[in-house]
Amino acid sequence: MKFSLSWLKQYLTTTADAQAIADTLNRIGFEVESLAHTGAGFENVVIGHIKERVQHPNADRLGVCQVDVGEGKLRQIVCGAPNARAGLTVAVALPGAVLPGDFAIKVSKIREVESCGMICSQKELGLGTESNGIWEIENTKLQPGKPLTDLLGSDVIFDVSITPNRGDALSLYGMARDLAAAGVGTWVRFVAPKNAGQGKPAISVKIDTAGCKAFYGTSISGIKNTASHNTVQEHLKAVGTKIISAPVDATNEVMYSLGQPSHVYDADKIKGSIVVREAKTGESFVALDGNTYTLVNGDMVIADDSGVIGLAGIIGGASTGVSDTTTNLFVESAQFDKTRIAKTGQRLGIITDARYRFERGIDQAMTGPAHAAVIAQVTEICGGKVSETTLVGDATPAAREITFDAKLVRDFGGVEMTTDEVVRILEGLQYQVKRQGDVLQLNVPSHITLFDGVADVMEDILRIKGYDSIPATMPAVAASNIPGDQVAFDAEFKARKALAQQGYLETLTYSFISPAQAAAVGGQDPSLVLSNPISADLSVMRPRLLPGLMAGVVANLSRAETVVALGEVGKAYLPTGEVLYACGLRAGLKQGRHWAAGSGKPDIFDVKADAQAVIEALGYDTSKMQFKPNGRPWYHPGKVGELVLQGQGVGHFGEVHPMVCKQLGLKGAAVTFAVNLTNLMKLEKKVKPYAASPFQPVTRDFAFVVDADVAAGDVLQTLSGAGRELVKDAQIFDQYVGDKLPAGKKSIALSLTLQAGDRTLTEEEINGVAEKAVAAVQKRFGAELRA
Amino acid sequence: MDIQALQQQSLASVAQANTLEALEAARLEYLGKSGKVTGLLKEMGKLDPAQRQVIAPQLNQLRDALTTQIEEKKNAFELEAMNSKLLAEKVDITLPAMPYAQGRVHPVSATMAELSQIMKGLGFAVVQGPEVTTDFYNFTALNIPETHPARQDHDTFYLPKGEQGENRLLRTQTSNVQILAMERFQPPFRIIAPGRVYRCDSDQTHTPQFHQMEGMLIDKNVTFAHLKGTLQYLLSQFFGKEVRLRLRPSYFPFTEPSVEIDVGAEVLGDEGHKISKGTGWLEVLGAGMVHPNVLKHGGIDPTQWQGFAFGCGIERLAMLKYGINDLRLFFESHQSFLKHFGHHPAAR
């Protein structure tokens, strides 16, 4: 909320300066976002009288003015404004002035004619947004040469952010109350003017909904609609509200002053009588903002005999709006249910000051006084004859009492406070306190609209006491007594470190991707598509991490990065739940170019190693992991493997399908892996027994010729399975396909290391195992042992 | 034979040998099979015992001295020869090393790990919760009913309604874990909940996704002063030096009183004052005493238990500590950024 210091001082008697007030506001819960001094920036801007204007000799659209700025002689100023003419009182920026936008005024020559300053528009001075030429100052009695600030005055504009629980502070009156309680001056209580009007209001009012608690109505007839006084205009300018006309400005001024929204109708445009009622579904009306709103059951309206003329507590209707020609007014100040207002306001997306205040709750004790204030202000400017004020419903706030033990402050706040101090603070905030020792009987003031009990009282006490006065104490040391999800959380970091150790740069991509990206990796269920995305590109919860990483890879390659390896540990979102993945994607070169080493492209065996490294990092042995040729549609069908541990699939590795690369914008190839950490963590961590043997191991090499489609891993498994208890290790160390073999065949070279724990193996035993192993391979794969 | 003369002659001849060959010749001349010293030693047996007792030690000494000197000199010649050979193998050590394929951990991940480690030291256990949740866990149970104005400040992403007609959304805060933790555990407990959150907002200072860490302690005698003490510890540990705290009253529906916490800008030196725009304070997190309604929603009796909660933005803390000036960089996958601000995997 914005307001000026001078306005605040109507409700706060204080000698504190603006900075001290701002500091206190910050301390008691109102963040001061800015303090602006009006009049700053107007140095060297003075009042001037244009004495003469002649046509510029060298430019059709320019004039040359002689201006009296109180210097004894006239100043020559070139001016292009169409309305510049002799006799005007204007604002003149003299050389040395710096106007908004860092526009420095200097003596200059404009088309050969010297110009010693500038005659300003309001826009150029930062006082308005539109410019129709220079500012014609209405007060012609101002002496030439006087500083412009004599006209504008100098004031301080506060911009304070008010949290949603502080509806009571959405007014100068409420702000002043809190400042006074915090020790900055005294609160000036508002005394409502008496309405001496006579006769019933011209329009009768009926309440037909539980959502309206009370309705004050008053007629003012025979007014002359005109502009508000300067003070009111300045107040409203400070708030940033549009100046409209005296009656409308009065409702705004009173709302900002006292917190109660009111509404003025052109009484002649109201048909019959007014009823506050439930809206009927399908009803529509045109609001003051020019929009047509269609209502539903649950909305609350102000209606006359013709239909809806206002959305209760939110916005008035165009059909009964006050215009320049309005002569008879009807003034409304009412109390509406905050939940009802919030629902309708949210649904229709209408943001008004009235809704904002009703939604946060208004001080019901102020509805009547504010109504009287509006009437007084309107009649003061516009005249008119005032009726009696009718009150329909009950405006009295409900009494709320609570017992509060002042000793609780220490147990809860951790700060020592005397009961006297507690009482002083509460009374400052207008609680009514009956004291019995340390136990306080409190009557909660009506301005506190959000009241939940003791916690609210505690907050008020500690807030005004000041949080700086509360000591910082460590809670007693305690070991964690719950398991929580520490293991799963730590696993994420182990995976991240493993990625980094494998050379990946860990990135965090968005959890939402575009429909096209999702489609490239199998699509997403409609239940995981955002209803209100930032943009279509960020509308689908990612079913895989691959598309986001691919976008990163493409961007880096286009930035001339040659080695690209991005990894991410994060969730994929599936209808079955959120699944944690570790995913890596490599493209470009495998490593930077080097003078002594070739730099190939990363291949699927790089990402196979990466996947194994991640799984190992989480504490799982991958020596028994199986790799099955099972794919997913977004992998190259011939270069993909499923990672199978303890019989469970825990991920995939392989080359990204060229079509998918194309769809995701990658020119060239990429290899990727994804380990499903959620599934992996469900597996048992098996401890492998360690069996060291002092006896000599023996290694034998074999080469088999097999059909090209035989998996080397299967051959390895068969070979090592034949002599189980003596096999210490088995490795595949070479593969050959080529001219020296018949078509459709390949050769695989394997080594078998044998060792016994209790003896040196004899030649006979070694040969026995080897023969058995070879026979098994030959039998299963029709393999031929190469010499 | 004059042993004295032999000694002088032989030692001089070893000393003068300046090649490996000359040294070997000297060795053969005196210590070879038919060398002069060897010869005399062979004669020892023929001498009478009295003479032998005088001469033998002298000869043995001479033999040992020659052996040692020849060995030393030989080693020196060999080293010299080896060094001249090695110099010929000289390489250009200014050539680049093998490419260093060291990856990095993202600064947000690293900061999250750092914060959780500090809290782990205070006995706070990590509790996790889903990112796709309902308005009950994200709002209602946190004392933010449907029509509460605070809901509008949250810029929530919504998903199609669930099977039971529940409003599904992406969590706007890690505070949803407060409720889950209360449902899972009996007080007293202390938890943190780090994770990803979402707001429907995107500009220079907002990204639609970011990370938070929630903290909550429920016990019998927890006070506001304990909240202050805990945060003083957390932030001082995180920034690596004792920080000054400023607590500003604020409002979060799930805590009361609620505060926003600033740290003194001096913790970051001149840069800190620049970031604080001259106010001298840097906003870092929000906190408060858990609202009784929230305890009730979590099935905890507010007359028996009380506690505090806090929530901090991970990116905000990482930006301050590591001098990162644009939030959006965190999510753009630029390798240059990730290399620069990423952490070595062994660093934590």
Side-chain angles (χ1 to χ4, degrees):
Chain A
M1 188 168 84
K2 279 185 166 182
F3 59 88
S4 65
L5 178 61
S6 60
W7 194 4
L8 176 69
K9 283 186 172 175
Q10 283 187 10
Y11 301 104
L12 185 72
T13 308
T14 183
T15 51
D17 64 12
Q19 191 55 51
I21 291 172
D23 289 345
T24 307
L25 286 171
N26 271 322
R27 193 171 63 73
I28 62 176
F30 304 106
E31 189 180 349
V32 179
E33 294 188 341
S34 68
L35 268 191
H37 294 260
T38 63
F42 293 138
E43 288 87 5
N44 294 320
V45 183
V46 300
I47 302 294
H49 289 174
I50 302 182
K51 294 294 179 194
E52 177 194 296
R53 179 194 180 275
V54 297
Q55 184 64 38
H56 191 293
N58 304 323
D60 289 349
R61 295 183 176 217
L62 296 179
V64 180
C65 301
Q66 300 298 326
V67 187
D68 178 2
V69 291
E71 292 171 322
K73 55 173 187 162
L74 301 181
R75 249 175 204 264
Q76 174 169 296
I77 298 176
V78 176
C79 180
N83 62 332
R85 58 186 187 274
L88 286 186
T89 300
V90 293
V92 179
L94 300 176
V98 180
L99 299 185
D102 273 340
F103 179 29
I105 303 299
K106 296 186 282 255
V107 175
S108 60
K109 276 198 173 165
I110 298 172
R111 298 257 185 137
E112 308 298 313
V113 177
E114 194 176 52
S115 180
C116 304
M118 186 172 93
I119 307 175
C120 305
S121 68
Q122 281 182 289
K123 188 181 177 187
E124 282 156 345
L125 292 167
L127 298 172
T129 51
E130 284 161 39
S131 178
N132 299 314
I134 53 171
W135 182 14
E136 300 182 22
I137 296 173
E138 289 165 26
N139 185 346
T140 52
K141 288 175 195 147
L142 286 168
Q143 287 297 309
K146 288 280 182 194
L148 183 66
T149 48
D150 279 9
L151 173 68
L152 295 176
S154 71
D155 204 340
V156 183
I157 308 294
F158 288 77
D159 188 355
V160 176
S161 93
I162 292 168
T163 53
N165 59 326
R166 295 306 304 275
D168 63 291
L170 288 169
S171 65
L172 281 307
Y173 193 51
M175 193 83 68
R177 176 172 47 221
D178 252 46
L179 282 166
V184 183
T186 17
W187 191 38
V188 181
R189 273 178 194 278
F190 176 72
V191 181
K194 279 252 171 335
N195 176 10
Q198 286 176 354
K200 294 268 174 236
I203 290 154
S204 73
V205 175
K206 194 170 100 181
I207 298 178
D208 226 1
T209 165
C212 177
K213 188 168 170 288
F215 190 117
Y216 287 92
T218 306
S219 294
I220 310 175
S221 52
I223 65 148
K224 186 180 177 302
N225 196 357
T226 176
S228 299
H229 288 332
N230 277 344
T231 330
V232 173
Q233 293 201 17
E234 271 160 31
H235 285 169
L236 296 180
K237 259 187 221 161
V239 181
T241 280
K242 222 167 129 189
I243 312 293
I244 298 169
S245 64
V248 179
D249 294 348
T251 61
N252 284 332
E253 159 108 354
V254 169
M255 177 176 65
Y256 293 121
S257 291
L258 302 176
Q260 168 70 46
S262 298
H263 186 68
V264 283
Y265 300 86
D266 184 329
D268 296 333
K269 295 178 188 164
I270 297 174
K271 310 275 186 296
S273 60
I274 280 182
V275 58
V276 189
R277 63 161 168 86
E278 300 290 333
K280 296 171 195 138
T281 299
E283 253 180 330
S284 72
F285 93 116
V286 182
L288 280 170
D289 61 8
N291 295 327
T292 303
Y293 295 98
T294 304
L295 309 178
V296 297
N297 187 19
D299 296 335
M300 207 162 38
V301 298
I302 314 290
D304 66 5
D305 294 357
S306 71
V308 179
I309 58 168
L311 204 45
I314 299 175
I315 194 165
S319 70
T320 53
V322 172
S323 70
D324 293 347
T325 55
T326 298
T327 51
N328 296 314
L329 292 176
F330 183 69
V331 183
E332 161 206 314
S333 307
Q335 298 173 354
F336 298 109
D337 179 72
K338 60 179 179 180
T339 310
R340 302 282 303 267
I341 302 290
K343 273 191 180 161
T344 298
Q346 275 172 31
R347 186 175 55 78
L348 297 173
I350 308 174
I351 297 163
T352 60
D353 282 317
R355 170 193 162 191
Y356 200 79
R357 282 167 178 74
F358 279 120
E359 212 170 85
R360 283 156 178 76
I362 51 154
D363 181 353
Q364 293 178 354
M366 292 305 289
T367 312
H371 188 74
V374 171
I375 288 159
Q377 187 168 323
V378 171
T379 49
E380 187 195 334
I381 302 168
C382 307
K385 187 169 168 290
V386 180
S387 75
E388 285 170 6
T389 293
T390 56
L391 166 63
V392 185
D394 179 7
T396 322
R400 289 167 299 181
E401 287 184 5
I402 188 170
T403 307
F404 183 80
D405 183 350
K407 289 200 301 296
L408 281 179
V409 175
R410 190 189 52 217
D411 297 342
F412 186 85
V415 63
E416 294 295 339
M417 281 180 80
T418 64
T419 301
D420 284 350
E421 192 181 1
V422 169
V423 170
R424 198 161 55 240
I425 288 173
L426 289 174
E427 285 180 340
L429 291 170
Q430 308 304 316
Y431 284 82
Q432 285 174 35
V433 184
K434 270 187 230 143
R435 184 175 168 181
Q436 290 149 345
D438 292 327
V439 178
L440 312 178
Q441 282 301 326
L442 303 179
N443 213 326
V444 181
S446 59
H447 69 262
I448 299 181
T449 55
L450 199 68
F451 187 78
D452 262 335
V454 170
D456 290 283
V457 181
M458 196 71 80
E459 174 172 41
D460 272 341
I461 296 164
L462 294 176
R463 176 173 69 87
I464 301 294
K465 165 79 175 167
Y467 296 146
D468 289 341
S469 59
I470 295 175
T473 317
M474 281 296 273
V477 174
S480 175
N481 60 333
I482 55 165
D485 304 308
Q486 193 72 45
V487 173
F489 180 72
D490 290 345
E492 282 180 40
F493 283 91
K494 288 173 183 168
R496 292 192 166 107
K497 287 183 195 180
L499 280 175
Q501 277 158 351
Q502 292 298 109
Y504 287 97
L505 293 165
E506 191 210 350
T507 182
L508 299 170
T509 64
Y510 284 124
S511 298
F512 10 69
I513 56 179
S514 73
Q517 283 177 307
V521 290
Q524 179 59 288
D525 190 84
S527 68
L528 288 163
V529 177
L530 295 175
S531 309
N532 58 333
I534 289 263
S535 68
D537 284 349
L538 300 172
S539 62
V540 181
M541 296 308 289
R542 60 183 181 192
R544 308 277 154 198
L545 274 56
L546 180 63
L549 287 179
M550 188 65 94
V553 163
V554 170
N556 280 297
L557 287 170
S558 75
R559 260 184 235 113
E561 295 271 0
T562 51
V563 180
V564 179
L566 291 176
E568 183 167 9
V569 177
K571 285 175 171 177
Y573 306 84
L574 302 173
T576 47
E578 295 168 19
V579 182
L580 188 67
Y581 274 100
C583 189
L585 184 62
R586 293 181 181 271
L589 297 176
K590 184 168 170 178
Q591 57 180 28
R593 295 201 305 184
H594 189 251
W595 55 278
S599 181
K601 293 177 182 304
D603 64 28
I604 67 163
F605 297 102
D606 294 311
V607 284
K608 184 179 180 185
D610 298 336
Q612 280 180 268
V614 167
I615 294 169
E616 290 273 352
L618 264 70
Y620 293 90
D621 174 22
T622 61
S623 65
K624 294 273 162 60
M625 191 156 75
Q626 291 172 289
F627 305 96
K628 300 202 166 160
N630 300 333
R632 299 271 183 163
W634 51 93
Y635 283 95
H636 182 308
K639 295 182 181 175
V640 57
E642 183 180 17
L643 306 158
V644 179
L645 196 63
Q646 298 174 27
Q648 301 293 316
V650 293
H652 288 84
F653 69 95
E655 190 173 314
V656 183
H657 197 297
M659 186 60 80
V660 174
C661 288
K662 205 175 139 192
Q663 286 162 350
L664 296 176
L666 179 70
K667 291 191 191 100
V671 288
T672 185
F673 81 90
V675 174
N676 182 325
L677 300 180
T678 303
N679 278 355
L680 180 64
M681 283 187 283
K682 288 177 192 156
L683 301 182
E684 196 186 333
K685 282 183 194 169
K686 291 182 176 161
V687 181
K688 201 164 55 168
Y690 177 63
S693 168
F695 299 96
Q696 184 66 25
V698 183
T699 298
R700 291 286 159 91
D701 293 349
F702 306 94
F704 293 102
V705 176
V706 292
D707 288 347
D709 61 356
V710 168
D714 292 345
V715 175
L716 180 73
Q717 210 183 2
T718 305
L719 187 77
S720 60
R724 191 155 297 203
E725 64 278 18
L726 293 180
V727 174
K728 182 82 180 167
D729 188 30
Q731 298 288 339
I732 299 164
F733 67 87
D734 202 7
Q735 168 177 271
Y736 172 77
V737 184
D739 298 345
K740 291 174 189 162
L741 289 174
K745 294 281 183 186
K746 69 178 174 186
S747 163
I748 305 163
L750 307 98
S751 72
L752 195 61
T753 302
L754 304 175
Q755 189 182 34
D758 55 353
R759 64 192 188 280
T760 301
L761 293 175
T762 65
E763 197 61 21
E764 238 167 54
E765 281 179 295
I766 296 164
N767 290 340
V769 172
E771 278 164 23
K772 216 167 110 187
V774 168
V777 172
Q778 285 173 326
K779 189 176 166 212
R780 184 169 165 203
F781 303 102
E784 183 195 326
L785 183 67
R786 292 180 88 199
Chain B
M1 175 67 201
D2 183 354
I3 290 178
Q4 209 88 43
L6 180 63
Q7 183 173 345
Q8 274 180 11
Q9 191 189 32
S10 61
L11 287 173
S13 138
V14 168
Q16 279 157 23
N18 48 17
T19 65
L20 207 53
E21 290 73 24
L23 187 67
E24 179 63 8
R27 188 185 71 81
L28 288 172
E29 187 180 355
Y30 298 100
L31 298 178
K33 266 183 190 166
S34 45
K36 289 172 183 168
V37 176
T38 318
L40 284 177
L41 282 165
K42 281 181 187 164
E43 304 285 305
M44 278 302 106
K46 294 175 189 165
L47 295 177
D48 66 62
Q51 243 187 328
R52 193 163 60 214
Q53 272 187 358
V54 178
I55 294 172
Q58 290 180 5
L59 269 182
N60 280 334
Q61 221 172 11
L62 175 59
R63 182 196 55 199
D64 291 349
L66 283 172
T67 307
T68 312
Q69 285 193 16
I70 290 168
E71 193 59 30
E72 279 175 1
K73 222 163 162 180
K74 193 179 158 197
N75 284 345
F77 282 140
E78 278 175 359
L79 182 64
E80 204 178 311
M82 190 184 283
N83 277 340
S84 57
K85 211 173 137 195
L86 289 179
L87 273 177
E89 298 171 6
K90 187 178 174 186
V91 295
D92 178 1
I93 51 89
T94 63
L95 283 170
M98 285 305 279
Y100 184 52
Q102 181 59 66
R104 299 276 154 179
V105 173
H106 194 280
V108 165
S109 301
T111 303
M112 205 140 73
E114 200 173 353
L115 293 167
S116 64
Q117 253 172 18
I118 298 167
M119 296 310 292
K120 195 177 175 180
L122 296 180
F124 284 68
V126 169
V127 174
Q128 296 181 318
E131 294 166 17
V132 176
T133 185
T134 61
D135 62 348
F136 175 79
Y137 285 101
N138 197 72
F139 292 123
T140 313
L142 289 165
N143 203 29
I144 316 174
E146 200 189 329
T147 54
H148 200 288
R151 275 208 192 188
Q152 294 153 44
D153 298 342
H154 273 235
D155 301 317
T156 312
F157 282 113
Y158 287 95
L159 293 157
K161 279 188 195 260
E163 281 165 15
Q164 270 89 49
E166 71 274 19
N167 285 318
R168 292 164 69 241
L169 47 82
L170 296 184
R171 66 174 177 190
T172 61
Q173 49 194 1
T174 44
S175 310
N176 69 324
V177 181
Q178 288 191 14
I179 304 296
L180 294 167
M182 288 188 283
E183 287 175 351
R184 279 171 67 186
F185 308 111
Q186 290 299 316
F189 62 75
R190 33 184 91 182
I191 60 141
I192 50 168
R196 204 175 261 203
V197 299
Y198 306 87
R199 302 271 172 102
C200 190
D201 199 357
S202 183
D203 58 33
Q204 195 163 357
T205 54
H206 297 91
T207 47
Q209 95 183 7
F210 53 103
H211 297 75
Q212 287 185 336
M213 183 179 81
E214 194 81 2
M216 187 187 211
L217 190 161
I218 305 290
D219 208 333
K220 292 270 182 197
N221 304 309
V222 193
T223 69
F224 195 90
H226 291 140
L227 167 63
K228 216 171 154 177
T230 303
L231 293 175
Q232 173 84 44
Y233 177 83
L234 170 65
L235 293 166
S236 296
Q237 291 287 310
F238 178 73
F239 284 110
K241 58 179 101 155
E242 201 62 20
V243 295
R244 277 189 311 135
L245 288 194
R246 181 173 78 165
L247 281 70
R248 284 179 292 112
S250 185
Y251 174 66
F252 311 108
F254 36 97
T255 50
E256 186 162 40
S258 299
V259 283
E260 292 209 58
I261 310 255
D262 304 336
V263 298
E266 68 279 357
V267 69
L268 301 178
D270 291 344
E271 192 56 30
H273 285 282
K274 222 191 286 170
I275 300 168
S276 84
K277 295 183 184 128
T279 63
W281 294 101
L282 304 167
E283 195 174 323
V284 289
L285 54 78
M289 299 297 288
V290 180
H291 197 287
N293 290 353
V294 174
L295 291 173
K296 275 185 229 162
H297 275 295
I300 292 177
D301 179 357
T303 63
Q304 296 294 309
W305 301 94
Q306 61 194 36
F308 64 71
F310 63 88
C312 54
I314 308 290
E315 282 83 356
R316 167 76 176 161
L317 287 171
M319 286 170 87
L320 289 175
K321 182 164 172 176
Y322 301 112
I324 300 168
N325 57 18
D326 187 343
L327 176 66
R328 295 170 295 188
L329 288 170
F330 284 119
F331 304 114
E332 288 179 343
S333 298
H334 291 188
Q335 292 206 145
S336 57
F337 171 83
L338 299 172
K339 281 178 200 161
H340 187 94
F341 287 108
H343 289 223
H344 190 283
R348 182 128 292 112

